[in-house]
């Protein structure tokens, strides 16, 4: 398996940001159920990294996968999980920003 840095150089690594504005209730649940969130995200092939970030009015997630099919699948899986597990919550549709990773720094 090639390193993430090699894959980035070849333009294969993709990232997706899902921004949930005005969704504090959703993030209360996500924080409470981190083990379930982890299971969903790790269930998508090609995971490079994942971050769930709380903001004053909700939060956002950053998912990085080895290719675009991973980011597409993670967005679908996240939406399915929210729909199945939080139907009573007033969860607005997130702003989704997706693209090819051009630089990777980290360990």
């Amino acid at each position: 398996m090639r390193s993430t840095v090699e894959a980035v150089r070849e333009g294969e690594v993709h990232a997706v940001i899902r921004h949930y504005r005005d969704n504090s209730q959703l993030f209360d649940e996500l924080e409470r159920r981190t083990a379930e969130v982890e299971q969903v995200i790790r269930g998508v092939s090609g995971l490079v990294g994942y971050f769930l970030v709380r903001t004053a009015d909700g939060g956002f997630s950053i998912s990085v996968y080895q290719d675009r099919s991973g980011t597409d699948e993670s967005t679908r899986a996240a939406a399915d999980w929210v729909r199945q597990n939080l139907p009573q919550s007033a969860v607005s549709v997130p702003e989704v920003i997706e693209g090819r990773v051009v630089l990777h720094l980290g360990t």
Side-chain angles (χ1 to χ4, degrees):
M1 182 174 168
R2 292 172 310 137
S3 74
T4 302
V5 173
E6 290 171 329
V8 167
R9 280 190 204 124
E10 294 179 14
E12 296 176 7
V13 177
H14 280 255
V16 62
I17 299 169
R18 290 181 290 275
H19 188 188
Y20 300 87
R21 285 190 176 93
D22 300 320
N23 275 293
S24 291
Q25 184 180 6
L26 169 62
F27 271 74
D28 291 343
E29 283 299 307
L30 293 174
E31 280 190 66
R32 192 173 69 74
R33 299 165 81 169
T34 57
E36 292 175 47
V37 173
E38 180 179 357
Q39 184 177 21
V40 170
I41 297 303
R42 287 192 184 279
V44 177
S45 179
L47 177 66
V48 174
Y50 179 80
F51 301 88
L52 187 62
V53 181
R54 182 84 186 229
T55 62
D57 69 343
F60 60 93
S61 66
I62 303 170
S63 303
V64 182
Y65 285 87
Q66 292 174 351
D67 56 33
R68 185 173 180 165
S69 66
T71 56
D72 290 348
E73 176 61 18
S74 74
T75 297
R76 186 203 59 75
D80 286 350
W81 186 87
V82 168
R83 193 170 29 260
Q84 292 170 11
N85 291 280
L86 305 173
Q88 73 283 358
S89 298
V91 178
S92 62
V93 176
E95 174 186 9
V96 177
I97 304 165
E98 181 273 332
R100 182 176 57 84
V101 174
V102 297
L103 177 65
H104 170 262
L105 302 173
T107 57

